[in-house]
Amino acid sequence: MQLIDGKAISAQMKKEIAEEVAKIKAAGGKTPHLAAVLVGHDGGSETYVASKVRTCEEVGFKSSLIRFEDNVSEEELLACVDKLNKDADVDGFIVQLPLPKHISEQKVIEAIDYRKDVDGFHPINVGRMSIGLPCFVSATPAGILELLKRYDIPTQGKHCVVLGRSNIVGKPVANLMMQKGYPGDATVTVCHSRTPNIKEVCQSADIIIAALGVPEFLKGDMVKDGVVVIDVGTTRVPSTETKSGFKLKGDVAFDEVAAKASFITPVPGGVGPMTIISLMRNTLLAGKNEIYK
């Protein structure tokens, strides 16, 4: 069994991006600028956005953080989006999800200029991805593909089972894995809460991407020997072993499954670090106008 080290790969990518940004600056080019809009004080969102801002500094980007209280109106938030769309200095921006219930997430996502949508959630980017055109691919699926690529994990003709059908991970990663080229050319099955025979489907999988959000859902008796397992789950569960009183659990019963896997990602330290660095790469592409010229 080989551990897929997302921390090490993201550090490698961070160095690559920083070197490219240094070259752009040395040649008198524009410093890539990522803006983030944060509504309210959700603990997970605060941590995630702080990490994005810190990573921007580390790779040499300019970053802006725009904060609103959770009672902000939908109109005010949409006005902020419009302002960022028109700001020529901002190459890409994200509106951190989830948003308060009185605001339509979909309306906000669709209001973002797709050419600055470095989260890859706008319907134009999703549509272009689905037919293999250049686009901003959402960060977690992009990070998963990068891990497969950097560990030279074969995907052609393999049976890939995706557990989960969310718009953020399940659907896009299933689509990417079936597209022509590498990593891709896989035969993909998507399982979800209404799939009756998940255990049997998983037992036939060469690659499993678990993105259900159910802690330790995938057990050792659900996988075959030699399987490649990518665990996207990050659920906080109570724990007496940590100072914080909780620990992160993935969707995979790690010890059981690792005993049979050829490659497996840990939680934490697997897919998580790849999400932020993939967002940085999208911002670099936006700054260089490489996707939408």
Side-chain angles (χ1 to χ4, degrees):
M1 184 276 293
Q2 185 172 353
L3 207 62
I4 297 174
D5 189 343
K7 273 187 183 174
I9 298 297
S10 69
Q12 192 180 329
M13 290 176 68
K14 191 186 292 182
K15 186 170 177 284
E16 292 165 4
I17 293 170
E19 285 171 358
E20 194 163 347
V21 172
K23 283 179 189 170
I24 290 168
K25 289 180 179 178
K30 180 186 175 298
T31 301
H33 182 180
L34 173 68
V37 180
L38 180 59
V39 179
H41 301 277
D42 174 77
S45 293
E46 288 274 5
T47 303
Y48 191 47
V49 169
S51 183
K52 288 172 182 172
V53 170
R54 189 170 60 250
T55 308
C56 279
E57 288 169 12
E58 289 167 355
V59 298
F61 289 176
K62 182 178 176 182
S63 71
S64 301
L65 175 56
I66 300 148
R67 288 179 170 274
F68 291 100
E69 291 301 318
D70 52 19
N71 61 354
V72 65
S73 69
E74 188 175 87
E75 290 71 25
E76 281 179 275
L77 189 57
L78 288 170
C80 173
V81 167
D82 185 54
K83 190 176 174 185
L84 289 168
N85 283 340
K86 291 171 178 168
D87 187 340
D89 190 56
V90 173
D91 298 299
F93 69 95
I94 62 144
V95 178
Q96 184 64 36
L97 305 178
L99 292 171
K101 288 187 169 58
H102 67 279
I103 296 173
S104 164
E105 288 189 356
Q106 197 55 41
K107 193 182 280 188
V108 171
I109 288 167
E110 289 184 34
I112 295 169
D113 183 336
Y114 68 92
R115 293 163 298 186
K116 294 189 176 191
D117 167 42
V118 286
D119 255 341
F121 294 160
H122 192 285
I124 288 178
N125 279 315
V126 175
R128 289 175 69 91
M129 180 207 68
S130 72
I131 56 172
L133 290 176
C135 64
F136 294 118
V137 176
S138 54
T140 302
I144 291 167
L145 263 65
E146 197 66 34
L147 287 176
L148 294 172
K149 194 191 297 181
R150 296 207 181 209
Y151 275 85
D152 293 320
I153 294 168
T155 58
Q156 184 179 12
K158 301 297 182 183
H159 182 204
C160 174
V161 171
V162 177
L163 300 176
R165 53 179 169 178
S166 74
N167 291 335
I168 292 174
V169 182
K171 287 177 188 172
V173 83
N175 196 302
L176 291 163
M177 288 298 290
M178 72 173 80
Q179 288 188 13
K180 288 183 179 178
Y182 178 75
D185 284 326
T187 301
V188 180
T189 303
V190 178
C191 295
H192 46 76
S193 58
R194 299 292 184 267
T195 304
N197 58 333
I198 286 185
K199 184 175 179 178
E200 289 77 11
V201 176
C202 288
Q203 285 170 337
S204 70
D206 303 304
I207 301 168
I208 298 176
I209 300 170
L212 283 168
V214 180
E216 300 190 326
F217 175 86
L218 189 72
K219 308 290 188 192
D221 64 352
M222 295 172 70
V223 303
K224 68 180 184 182
D225 287 334
V227 67
V228 174
V229 179
I230 307 291
D231 189 350
V232 186
T234 50
T235 306
R236 292 181 179 204
V237 298
S239 171
T240 54
E241 300 166 28
T242 59
K243 279 184 184 176
S244 62
F246 70 86
K247 69 192 307 189
L248 281 183
K249 287 270 186 190
D251 287 357
V252 177
F254 184 85
D255 292 341
E256 290 180 32
V257 175
K260 298 171 86 171
S262 57
F263 290 89
I264 189 168
T265 60
V267 174
V271 173
M274 297 301 296
T275 298
I276 288 177
I277 205 64
S278 297
L279 179 73
M280 297 299 131
R281 188 165 63 179
N282 277 350
T283 303
L284 179 62
L285 292 171
K288 293 165 68 180
N289 292 317
E290 287 210 353
I291 302 292
Y292 298 110
K293 295 179 181 176

Short mmCIF file of all heavy atoms in Angstrom, two decimals, residues 127-172:
data_model
loop_
_atom_site.label_atom_id
_atom_site.label_comp_id
_atom_site.label_asym_id
_atom_site.label_seq_id
_atom_site.Cartn_x
_atom_site.Cartn_y
_atom_site.Cartn_z
N GLY A 127 -20.61 23.44 -17.98
CA GLY A 127 -21.00 22.94 -19.31
C GLY A 127 -19.80 22.69 -20.20
O GLY A 127 -19.71 21.67 -20.89
N ARG A 128 -18.84 23.64 -20.19
CA ARG A 128 -17.64 23.47 -21.00
C ARG A 128 -16.84 22.25 -20.53
O ARG A 128 -16.31 21.49 -21.35
CB ARG A 128 -16.79 24.73 -20.96
CG ARG A 128 -17.40 25.90 -21.73
CD ARG A 128 -16.59 27.18 -21.56
NE ARG A 128 -15.30 27.08 -22.23
CZ ARG A 128 -15.05 27.45 -23.50
NH1 ARG A 128 -16.02 27.95 -24.23
NH2 ARG A 128 -13.85 27.34 -24.02
N MET A 129 -16.76 22.07 -19.21
CA MET A 129 -16.06 20.90 -18.68
C MET A 129 -16.70 19.61 -19.18
O MET A 129 -16.01 18.66 -19.56
CB MET A 129 -16.07 20.93 -17.15
CG MET A 129 -15.36 19.74 -16.52
SD MET A 129 -16.02 19.35 -14.89
CE MET A 129 -17.66 18.77 -15.31
N SER A 130 -18.03 19.60 -19.21
CA SER A 130 -18.74 18.36 -19.54
C SER A 130 -18.52 17.91 -20.99
O SER A 130 -18.68 16.74 -21.30
CB SER A 130 -20.24 18.50 -19.26
OG SER A 130 -20.84 19.35 -20.21
N ILE A 131 -18.13 18.87 -21.86
CA ILE A 131 -17.86 18.47 -23.25
C ILE A 131 -16.38 18.61 -23.60
O ILE A 131 -15.99 18.60 -24.76
CB ILE A 131 -18.74 19.24 -24.26
CG1 ILE A 131 -18.59 20.76 -24.11
CG2 ILE A 131 -20.20 18.83 -24.11
CD1 ILE A 131 -19.31 21.55 -25.20
N GLY A 132 -15.55 18.77 -22.56
CA GLY A 132 -14.10 18.74 -22.76
C GLY A 132 -13.48 20.01 -23.32
O GLY A 132 -12.39 19.96 -23.89
N LEU A 133 -14.16 21.16 -23.16
CA LEU A 133 -13.59 22.43 -23.61
C LEU A 133 -12.78 23.07 -22.49
O LEU A 133 -13.02 22.80 -21.31
CB LEU A 133 -14.71 23.38 -24.04
CG LEU A 133 -15.47 23.03 -25.31
CD1 LEU A 133 -16.61 24.02 -25.54
CD2 LEU A 133 -14.54 23.00 -26.52
N PRO A 134 -11.83 23.96 -22.83
CA PRO A 134 -11.07 24.66 -21.78
C PRO A 134 -12.01 25.42 -20.85
O PRO A 134 -12.97 26.05 -21.31
CB PRO A 134 -10.19 25.64 -22.58
CG PRO A 134 -10.09 25.04 -23.95
CD PRO A 134 -11.40 24.35 -24.19
N CYS A 135 -11.74 25.33 -19.56
CA CYS A 135 -12.61 25.97 -18.57
C CYS A 135 -11.89 25.96 -17.22
O CYS A 135 -10.83 25.35 -17.08
CB CYS A 135 -13.94 25.21 -18.44
SG CYS A 135 -13.73 23.54 -17.81
N PHE A 136 -12.51 26.62 -16.24
CA PHE A 136 -12.04 26.49 -14.87
C PHE A 136 -12.72 25.27 -14.26
O PHE A 136 -13.94 25.23 -14.14
CB PHE A 136 -12.35 27.74 -14.05
CG PHE A 136 -11.60 28.96 -14.50
CD1 PHE A 136 -12.26 30.07 -14.97
CD2 PHE A 136 -10.22 28.98 -14.45
CE1 PHE A 136 -11.56 31.19 -15.39
CE2 PHE A 136 -9.50 30.10 -14.87
CZ PHE A 136 -10.18 31.20 -15.35
N VAL A 137 -11.93 24.26 -13.94
CA VAL A 137 -12.47 23.04 -13.31
C VAL A 137 -12.49 23.27 -11.81
O VAL A 137 -11.53 23.77 -11.23
CB VAL A 137 -11.59 21.81 -13.65
CG1 VAL A 137 -12.10 20.57 -12.92
CG2 VAL A 137 -11.57 21.58 -15.16
N SER A 138 -13.61 22.90 -11.16
CA SER A 138 -13.71 23.14 -9.72
C SER A 138 -12.56 22.45 -8.99
O SER A 138 -12.05 21.41 -9.40
CB SER A 138 -15.07 22.73 -9.18
OG SER A 138 -15.40 21.42 -9.50
N ALA A 139 -12.16 23.08 -7.90
CA ALA A 139 -10.86 22.80 -7.28
C ALA A 139 -10.69 21.38 -6.77
O ALA A 139 -9.63 20.77 -6.95
CB ALA A 139 -10.61 23.80 -6.15
N THR A 140 -11.69 20.82 -6.12
CA THR A 140 -11.51 19.47 -5.55
C THR A 140 -11.37 18.41 -6.65
O THR A 140 -10.42 17.62 -6.61
CB THR A 140 -12.64 19.13 -4.56
OG1 THR A 140 -12.65 20.12 -3.52
CG2 THR A 140 -12.43 17.77 -3.93
N PRO A 141 -12.27 18.37 -7.65
CA PRO A 141 -12.06 17.42 -8.75
C PRO A 141 -10.73 17.61 -9.47
O PRO A 141 -10.05 16.64 -9.80
CB PRO A 141 -13.24 17.69 -9.69
CG PRO A 141 -14.30 18.25 -8.82
CD PRO A 141 -13.57 19.07 -7.79
N ALA A 142 -10.33 18.87 -9.68
CA ALA A 142 -9.04 19.13 -10.33
C ALA A 142 -7.90 18.59 -9.48
O ALA A 142 -6.94 17.99 -10.00
CB ALA A 142 -8.85 20.64 -10.55
N GLY A 143 -8.00 18.76 -8.16
CA GLY A 143 -6.98 18.25 -7.25
C GLY A 143 -6.89 16.74 -7.26
O GLY A 143 -5.79 16.16 -7.20
N ILE A 144 -8.04 16.07 -7.35
CA ILE A 144 -8.07 14.61 -7.39
C ILE A 144 -7.35 14.10 -8.64
O ILE A 144 -6.52 13.18 -8.58
CB ILE A 144 -9.53 14.10 -7.36
CG1 ILE A 144 -10.15 14.37 -5.99
CG2 ILE A 144 -9.61 12.60 -7.70
CD1 ILE A 144 -11.67 14.21 -5.93
N LEU A 145 -7.65 14.72 -9.78
CA LEU A 145 -7.00 14.30 -11.03
C LEU A 145 -5.50 14.54 -10.98
O LEU A 145 -4.71 13.72 -11.49
CB LEU A 145 -7.61 15.04 -12.22
CG LEU A 145 -8.69 14.23 -12.97
CD1 LEU A 145 -9.91 13.98 -12.09
CD2 LEU A 145 -9.11 14.90 -14.26
N GLU A 146 -5.10 15.62 -10.33
CA GLU A 146 -3.67 15.93 -10.22
C GLU A 146 -2.96 14.86 -9.38
O GLU A 146 -1.83 14.46 -9.70
CB GLU A 146 -3.49 17.32 -9.60
CG GLU A 146 -2.11 17.90 -9.79
CD GLU A 146 -1.76 18.21 -11.24
OE1 GLU A 146 -2.64 18.59 -12.03
OE2 GLU A 146 -0.56 18.05 -11.58
N LEU A 147 -3.61 14.39 -8.32
CA LEU A 147 -3.02 13.33 -7.50
C LEU A 147 -2.84 12.05 -8.31
O LEU A 147 -1.79 11.40 -8.24
CB LEU A 147 -3.90 13.04 -6.28
CG LEU A 147 -3.91 14.08 -5.15
CD1 LEU A 147 -4.91 13.68 -4.07
CD2 LEU A 147 -2.52 14.26 -4.54
N LEU A 148 -3.85 11.67 -9.07
CA LEU A 148 -3.77 10.46 -9.91
C LEU A 148 -2.61 10.59 -10.91
O LEU A 148 -1.84 9.65 -11.11
CB LEU A 148 -5.09 10.22 -10.65
CG LEU A 148 -6.32 9.88 -9.79
CD1 LEU A 148 -7.57 9.87 -10.64
CD2 LEU A 148 -6.15 8.53 -9.09
N LYS A 149 -2.51 11.79 -11.48
CA LYS A 149 -1.48 12.04 -12.51
C LYS A 149 -0.07 11.98 -11.90
O LYS A 149 0.82 11.34 -12.45
CB LYS A 149 -1.73 13.42 -13.13
CG LYS A 149 -0.97 13.68 -14.41
CD LYS A 149 -1.06 15.16 -14.83
CE LYS A 149 -2.48 15.58 -15.14
NZ LYS A 149 -2.53 17.02 -15.56
N ARG A 150 0.11 12.63 -10.77
CA ARG A 150 1.46 12.74 -10.19
C ARG A 150 1.92 11.44 -9.55
O ARG A 150 3.11 11.28 -9.30
CB ARG A 150 1.51 13.91 -9.21
CG ARG A 150 1.29 15.24 -9.95
CD ARG A 150 1.93 16.41 -9.28
NE ARG A 150 1.65 17.64 -10.03
CZ ARG A 150 2.44 18.69 -10.08
NH1 ARG A 150 3.60 18.67 -9.43
NH2 ARG A 150 2.11 19.76 -10.76
N TYR A 151 0.99 10.55 -9.28
CA TYR A 151 1.38 9.22 -8.78
C TYR A 151 1.35 8.16 -9.89
O TYR A 151 1.50 6.96 -9.62
CB TYR A 151 0.47 8.79 -7.61
CG TYR A 151 0.96 9.34 -6.28
CD1 TYR A 151 0.61 10.62 -5.87
CD2 TYR A 151 1.79 8.59 -5.45
CE1 TYR A 151 1.07 11.13 -4.66
CE2 TYR A 151 2.25 9.10 -4.24
CZ TYR A 151 1.89 10.36 -3.85
OH TYR A 151 2.35 10.87 -2.66
N ASP A 152 1.16 8.64 -11.15
CA ASP A 152 1.16 7.73 -12.32
C ASP A 152 0.20 6.56 -12.15
O ASP A 152 0.53 5.42 -12.49
CB ASP A 152 2.58 7.20 -12.60
CG ASP A 152 3.53 8.29 -13.05
OD1 ASP A 152 3.10 9.16 -13.83
OD2 ASP A 152 4.70 8.28 -12.60
N ILE A 153 -0.98 6.84 -11.62
CA ILE A 153 -1.97 5.78 -11.40
C ILE A 153 -2.74 5.56 -12.70
O ILE A 153 -3.35 6.49 -13.24
CB ILE A 153 -2.91 6.15 -10.24
CG1 ILE A 153 -2.12 6.18 -8.93
CG2 ILE A 153 -4.08 5.18 -10.15
CD1 ILE A 153 -2.85 6.79 -7.75
N PRO A 154 -2.72 4.33 -13.26
CA PRO A 154 -3.41 4.07 -14.53
C PRO A 154 -4.93 4.25 -14.37
O PRO A 154 -5.51 3.83 -13.37
CB PRO A 154 -3.07 2.60 -14.83
CG PRO A 154 -1.93 2.24 -13.94
CD PRO A 154 -2.05 3.12 -12.73
N THR A 155 -5.55 4.91 -15.36
CA THR A 155 -7.00 5.10 -15.33
C THR A 155 -7.68 4.55 -16.59
O THR A 155 -8.88 4.26 -16.56
CB THR A 155 -7.33 6.61 -15.22
OG1 THR A 155 -6.74 7.31 -16.33
CG2 THR A 155 -6.80 7.21 -13.92
N GLN A 156 -6.94 4.39 -17.66
CA GLN A 156 -7.54 3.95 -18.92
C GLN A 156 -8.18 2.57 -18.78
O GLN A 156 -7.53 1.60 -18.35
CB GLN A 156 -6.48 3.90 -20.02
CG GLN A 156 -7.05 3.53 -21.39
CD GLN A 156 -5.98 3.52 -22.48
OE1 GLN A 156 -4.80 3.56 -22.18
NE2 GLN A 156 -6.40 3.45 -23.71
N GLY A 157 -9.45 2.48 -19.12
CA GLY A 157 -10.16 1.20 -19.08
C GLY A 157 -10.48 0.70 -17.68
O GLY A 157 -11.05 -0.38 -17.52
N LYS A 158 -10.13 1.47 -16.66
CA LYS A 158 -10.38 1.03 -15.28
C LYS A 158 -11.83 1.32 -14.89
O LYS A 158 -12.44 2.25 -15.41
CB LYS A 158 -9.45 1.75 -14.29
CG LYS A 158 -7.96 1.54 -14.55
CD LYS A 158 -7.57 0.09 -14.38
CE LYS A 158 -6.07 -0.12 -14.59
NZ LYS A 158 -5.69 -1.54 -14.50
N HIS A 159 -12.35 0.52 -13.98
CA HIS A 159 -13.70 0.78 -13.46
C HIS A 159 -13.56 1.72 -12.27
O HIS A 159 -13.00 1.36 -11.24
CB HIS A 159 -14.38 -0.53 -13.03
CG HIS A 159 -15.78 -0.33 -12.53
ND1 HIS A 159 -16.41 -1.19 -11.67
CD2 HIS A 159 -16.67 0.67 -12.77
CE1 HIS A 159 -17.62 -0.73 -11.39
NE2 HIS A 159 -17.81 0.39 -12.05
N CYS A 160 -14.07 2.93 -12.46
CA CYS A 160 -14.01 3.95 -11.40
C CYS A 160 -15.40 4.12 -10.80
O CYS A 160 -16.36 4.44 -11.51
CB CYS A 160 -13.52 5.27 -11.99
SG CYS A 160 -13.56 6.65 -10.82
N VAL A 161 -15.51 3.92 -9.50
CA VAL A 161 -16.78 4.12 -8.80
C VAL A 161 -16.69 5.42 -8.01
O VAL A 161 -15.78 5.61 -7.20
CB VAL A 161 -17.11 2.94 -7.87
CG1 VAL A 161 -18.31 3.26 -6.98
CG2 VAL A 161 -17.39 1.69 -8.70
N VAL A 162 -17.64 6.32 -8.27
CA VAL A 162 -17.73 7.59 -7.54
C VAL A 162 -18.89 7.47 -6.56
O VAL A 162 -20.02 7.20 -6.96
CB VAL A 162 -17.95 8.78 -8.50
CG1 VAL A 162 -18.12 10.08 -7.71
CG2 VAL A 162 -16.80 8.89 -9.50
N LEU A 163 -18.60 7.63 -5.28
CA LEU A 163 -19.64 7.60 -4.25
C LEU A 163 -20.06 9.03 -3.95
O LEU A 163 -19.30 9.80 -3.37
CB LEU A 163 -19.11 6.92 -2.98
CG LEU A 163 -18.64 5.46 -3.12
CD1 LEU A 163 -18.06 4.96 -1.80
CD2 LEU A 163 -19.79 4.57 -3.57
N GLY A 164 -21.25 9.42 -4.39
CA GLY A 164 -21.74 10.78 -4.20
C GLY A 164 -22.01 11.46 -5.51
O GLY A 164 -21.31 11.21 -6.50
N ARG A 165 -23.01 12.33 -5.53
CA ARG A 165 -23.41 12.98 -6.79
C ARG A 165 -23.57 14.49 -6.61
O ARG A 165 -24.40 15.13 -7.26
CB ARG A 165 -24.72 12.37 -7.29
CG ARG A 165 -25.83 12.37 -6.26
CD ARG A 165 -27.12 11.79 -6.79
NE ARG A 165 -28.08 11.56 -5.71
CZ ARG A 165 -29.30 11.08 -5.89
NH1 ARG A 165 -29.73 10.78 -7.11
NH2 ARG A 165 -30.11 10.89 -4.87
N SER A 166 -22.78 15.08 -5.73
CA SER A 166 -22.87 16.53 -5.51
C SER A 166 -22.37 17.28 -6.75
O SER A 166 -21.58 16.75 -7.54
CB SER A 166 -22.04 16.95 -4.30
OG SER A 166 -20.66 16.93 -4.62
N ASN A 167 -22.84 18.53 -6.88
CA ASN A 167 -22.38 19.37 -8.00
C ASN A 167 -20.93 19.80 -7.82
O ASN A 167 -20.27 20.17 -8.78
CB ASN A 167 -23.27 20.61 -8.11
CG ASN A 167 -24.67 20.27 -8.57
OD1 ASN A 167 -24.89 19.26 -9.21
ND2 ASN A 167 -25.63 21.12 -8.23
N ILE A 168 -20.44 19.76 -6.57
CA ILE A 168 -19.09 20.26 -6.29
C ILE A 168 -18.03 19.18 -6.51
O ILE A 168 -16.93 19.47 -6.98
CB ILE A 168 -19.02 20.83 -4.86
CG1 ILE A 168 -19.87 22.11 -4.79
CG2 ILE A 168 -17.60 21.13 -4.43
CD1 ILE A 168 -20.01 22.70 -3.40
N VAL A 169 -18.35 17.91 -6.21
CA VAL A 169 -17.35 16.84 -6.36
C VAL A 169 -17.85 15.67 -7.21
O VAL A 169 -17.28 15.36 -8.25
CB VAL A 169 -16.86 16.30 -4.99
CG1 VAL A 169 -15.78 15.23 -5.20
CG2 VAL A 169 -16.31 17.41 -4.11
N GLY A 170 -18.92 15.03 -6.77
CA GLY A 170 -19.34 13.77 -7.40
C GLY A 170 -19.57 13.86 -8.90
O GLY A 170 -18.95 13.12 -9.69
N LYS A 171 -20.45 14.76 -9.32
CA LYS A 171 -20.77 14.87 -10.75
C LYS A 171 -19.57 15.29 -11.59
O LYS A 171 -19.26 14.65 -12.60
CB LYS A 171 -21.94 15.84 -10.96
CG LYS A 171 -23.29 15.28 -10.53
CD LYS A 171 -24.37 16.34 -10.71
CE LYS A 171 -25.69 15.89 -10.11
NZ LYS A 171 -26.68 16.99 -10.10
N PRO A 172 -18.85 16.38 -11.19
CA PRO A 172 -17.72 16.78 -12.05
C PRO A 172 -16.60 15.75 -12.11
O PRO A 172 -16.03 15.51 -13.18
CB PRO A 172 -17.23 18.10 -11.44
CG PRO A 172 -17.87 18.21 -10.10
CD PRO A 172 -19.11 17.39 -10.14
#
